[in-house]
Amino acid sequence: MAERSTAAVDVADNSGDDPLAAQADKAATDGEAHADEAAEQDAHNRGGERKNRERPAGTTPELHSGHTLARRYRLEECVTRLDGFSSWRAVDEKLRRAVGVHILPADHPRTRSVLAAARSAALLGDPRFVQVLDAVEEDDLVYVVHEWLPDATELTALLAEGPLEAHDAYQLVSQLSQAMAAAHREGLAHLRLTPGAVLRSSTGQYRIRGLAVNAALRGISADRPQRTDTEAIGALLYAALTQRWPYESDAYGLSGLPKGVGLIAPDQVRAGVHRGLSELAMRALVNDGATASRQELPLTTPDELAKAVAAMPRIRPPEPVFTTPPEYQRTTYQQGTYGRAQAHPGSMAPPVTMPPAPLESRTGKLLKWTVSALLIAALGLGSWQIADKLLDRGRTTDEPGNSRTTDEKQDDKRKTPVPLAIQSAKEFAPDGTAQNAEDAGNTHDGDTGSFWRTSSYRDGPDLHPQVKKGVGIVYDLGAEQEVSSAAIALRYGGDYTKVALYATDSLSPSGSVDSMKKIANGQTSATSLKLTATAPVKSRYVLLWMTAMPYVSHDTTFSNAGYKQAITDVKFTG
């Protein structure tokens, strides 16, 4: 069973007042959803007579572990009970999976806003957020059902262990800003983006929980929701770099800044902090002129923050550290003590008579002389044969048809493949429908846990002609190179995946794929594919073009079951 901190939707204050400028209920727009089934309503028996107990309006219903909602969601553990609502870890008995449930009475003053927020968040369908699965009002109860992620770790737990590495902090601010920018484009805000609302999956992906719903449950509102969420992301980045909360009050298990010093930059709080990330955190927080010393404009929207992160030089993951193996220890058998009795303290060990060396005996000496004579004879015969061959070669060097230059001999040797460095990558979508453009760089970042994924399609494995001609990524090698092969690591196997390489003229080709020069092509049913050209092709830009993908039903974290594929790593050689 996963820990509560890694799976439940956080709706309780972890400490005191929230210092963020956030407070908003205007994040969600109205939506519609249908209830599944009627919920059970318990009646209390007293003195043999069944009477319905009346409860005050807006109070949490009396629920307990084992209670079932809509004959489907069995409550297991109460995670939070606060301000008239409660949150539970539950089991969806129909689909046999863990879920989370928020429950509040139908007459609660925030019932309408909670339902509207939950239904709007469910319509977003962005895999970077913990998904709302159901939002139902039945009888005297309202409940919101959401995903439960048993393999994810809460950011609060990560920060308790210490500040994050620069690469992890970079991934945190990059993924959070991109996700919130997408949510705000749909009119949704979070307004309670705390360390407890951010989860990191086992693959290194960050996911946000409680979009719009957490704020609606508390009745939080804000006049500038984009500014509120941007400041919250800045506070999370600040905490990731320093393991300190960027305000004077302690919060979320983190110590606040010293009183009276104001907001100081992360690189002044802790040594070794990445300077670029430190400046980003200050520009996002923008509290009382915090960025004045750097002469940088403040970042007031998640979209501005995402663009600022993308403009930074990419931060590579740290190199793996290999520990030195322990020094080899000889055993007692190898040291020559096997089978010997240990001498007692104070006693003299009996002398051990060592046998003569094997070749010091009379027979051994005779054997040595015989072997020496044979070696001398073999050396003489070998020298004579070598000299004869050299003389014979000298006689035939000038004969017609026997001359070859040194350069021709060297050309016969096959060239050793040389890895080609990838400078940048960009998704290629000639039909205007991008797959996952912001993650194209994940295919050459050296991190096997990151990837670029396609959408999920109903038809396949071949995309053409039912879906589209193909999907792909263009890679920039920095200068014109001879491309001879490529090694491609894929996320899914099964059916088959078809990939081809083309030489193109730019990172954003204007022509069709048919007009490009093909380098190599192939297909595989495994999770790796090696493409080799019949002859090297010179090009600075190489298009990886995928035209067939396998059917995947088990990995529905980022998209529904269907024909789809993801690329984790690409390497070129020349």
Side-chain angles (χ1 to χ4, degrees):
M1 184 61 64
E3 295 180 359
R4 179 185 309 174
S5 63
T6 67
V9 172
D10 177 25
V11 293
D13 290 323
N14 291 334
S15 62
D17 296 333
D18 190 347
L20 294 176
Q23 303 258 326
D25 188 54
K26 300 177 182 178
T29 58
D30 289 337
E32 292 185 0
H34 298 285
D36 291 331
E37 300 177 47
E40 294 181 351
Q41 182 178 8
D42 292 331
H44 298 276
N45 298 328
R46 185 188 299 270
E49 296 181 0
R50 179 170 299 181
K51 298 180 181 180
N52 294 326
R53 291 185 177 180
E54 296 182 358
R55 56 176 176 80
T59 59
T60 306
E62 291 295 332
L63 300 172
H64 54 82
S65 298
H67 186 90
T68 302
L69 298 173
R71 301 177 184 174
R72 176 173 180 176
Y73 303 113
R74 187 181 74 250
L75 304 182
E76 294 288 325
E77 178 186 9
C78 183
V79 177
T80 302
R81 196 181 296 274
L82 176 72
D83 198 18
F85 67 87
S86 59
S87 299
W88 295 75
R89 174 176 59 82
V91 174
D92 184 345
E93 295 183 326
K94 182 176 181 180
L95 298 180
R96 297 183 180 275
R97 63 179 179 180
V99 294
V101 183
H102 300 307
I103 305 174
L104 66 164
D107 55 359
H108 195 284
R110 293 193 286 272
T111 296
R112 298 297 100 193
S113 60
V114 170
L115 284 174
R119 291 166 180 171
S120 298
L123 292 175
L124 180 62
D126 193 315
R128 292 170 292 194
F129 296 91
V130 173
Q131 299 295 296
V132 174
L133 306 176
D134 206 352
V136 180
E137 178 180 6
E138 288 184 337
D139 298 331
D140 60 345
L141 288 179
V142 169
Y143 53 91
V144 176
V145 184
H146 56 82
E147 282 185 296
W148 186 277
L149 307 178
D151 65 335
T153 304
E154 194 176 280
L155 183 59
T156 306
L158 297 176
L159 295 180
E161 299 176 357
L164 302 185
E165 295 285 347
H167 176 261
D168 291 334
Y170 172 82
Q171 291 294 329
L172 171 72
V173 67
S174 176
Q175 295 181 31
L176 294 189
S177 59
Q178 291 177 18
M180 289 310 306
H184 279 283
R185 284 194 292 269
E186 299 298 327
L188 292 170
H190 195 289
L191 308 182
R192 269 197 57 81
L193 201 53
T194 66
V198 178
L199 303 174
R200 187 173 71 179
S201 68
S202 57
T203 61
Q205 302 297 312
Y206 290 94
R207 298 187 67 181
I208 302 172
R209 59 187 178 186
L211 177 66
V213 176
N214 278 9
L217 284 168
R218 290 173 176 76
I220 298 175
S221 61
D223 295 331
R224 301 173 63 191
Q226 293 204 55
R227 178 69 195 90
T228 297
D229 283 341
T230 306
E231 183 180 344
I233 298 174
L236 294 178
L237 175 59
Y238 194 105
L241 295 173
T242 64
Q243 203 185 12
R244 299 287 292 268
W245 195 239
Y247 303 95
E248 292 185 353
S249 60
D250 299 344
Y252 312 108
L254 301 174
S255 299
L257 298 178
K259 297 186 183 299
V261 300
L263 182 60
I264 55 178
D267 54 5
Q268 297 176 5
V269 175
R270 190 176 72 88
V273 172
H274 190 278
R275 181 66 180 273
L277 293 176
S278 176
E279 293 185 356
L280 272 184
M282 297 300 285
R283 293 176 64 191
L285 284 168
V286 192
N287 191 319
D288 296 332
T291 62
S293 61
R294 289 170 170 76
Q295 301 299 322
E296 294 283 353
L297 294 175
L299 302 170
T300 58
T301 68
D303 188 57
E304 291 178 358
L305 180 55
K307 290 178 180 178
V309 175
M312 287 180 55
R314 192 176 187 87
I315 301 176
R316 299 288 181 183
E319 295 293 333
V321 179
F322 298 98
T323 57
T324 304
E327 185 179 352
Y328 179 70
Q329 300 290 333
R330 290 179 176 272
T331 64
T332 55
Y333 175 76
Q334 292 167 323
Q335 293 170 349
T337 61
Y338 180 77
R340 297 182 186 175
Q342 298 293 328
H344 295 284
S347 64
M348 294 294 293
V352 180
T353 303
M354 298 298 293
L359 295 181
E360 293 301 322
S361 63
R362 184 175 181 180
T363 304
K365 291 180 180 180
L366 179 62
L367 180 61
K368 284 197 296 183
W369 281 108
T370 303
V371 172
S372 299
L374 291 175
L375 286 175
I376 293 172
L379 288 173
L381 180 61
S383 301
W384 176 78
Q385 290 178 341
I386 292 173
D388 184 65
K389 286 184 177 293
L390 291 175
L391 291 174
D392 183 66
R393 181 177 299 177
R395 289 193 299 268
T396 59
T397 299
D398 298 331
E399 294 181 5
N402 289 336
S403 62
R404 294 188 65 183
T405 64
T406 304
D407 292 338
E408 290 174 345
K409 295 177 182 179
Q410 290 177 349
D411 290 340
D412 289 342
K413 297 180 180 179
R414 302 188 66 178
K415 295 181 179 179
T416 304
V418 177
L420 304 178
I422 299 174
Q423 302 299 322
S424 60
K426 184 177 181 180
E427 183 173 322
F428 178 58
D431 61 354
T433 304
Q435 303 294 301
N436 192 18
E438 64 271 18
D439 290 339
N442 291 344
T443 61
H444 66 93
D445 60 357
D447 183 4
T448 57
S450 62
F451 53 86
W452 168 88
R453 59 181 175 82
T454 70
S455 299
S456 178
Y457 298 102
R458 294 181 180 178
D459 297 315
D462 294 288
L463 299 179
H464 185 71
Q466 294 91 343
V467 181
K468 55 172 63 184
K469 291 186 176 180
V471 296
I473 301 175
V474 179
Y475 295 92
D476 180 8
L477 303 181
E480 190 173 69
Q481 306 280 357
E482 282 193 349
V483 182
S484 59
S485 64
I488 305 167
L490 305 170
R491 185 174 174 85
Y492 310 119
D495 289 329
Y496 54 87
T497 301
K498 288 184 180 179
V499 178
L501 301 179
Y502 293 88
T504 184
D505 56 355
S506 69
L507 201 58
S508 301
S510 56
S512 64
V513 176
D514 296 336
S515 64
M516 302 176 188
K517 183 174 181 180
K518 182 181 289 187
I519 300 174
N521 67 287
Q523 74 176 46
T524 182
S525 298
T527 55
S528 62
L529 177 60
K530 179 70 178 292
L531 301 179
T532 304
T534 54
V537 177
K538 282 190 174 183
S539 179
R540 173 177 175 176
Y541 302 97
V542 178
L543 168 63
L544 187 154
W545 188 241
M546 187 185 304
T547 56
M549 302 179 293
Y551 184 85
V552 181
S553 60
H554 58 275
D555 191 349
T556 57
T557 304
F558 299 98
S559 58
N560 297 327
Y563 292 93
K564 57 184 179 180
Q565 187 56 277
I567 299 176
T568 61
D569 193 47
V570 174
K571 290 184 173 63
F572 296 101
T573 54

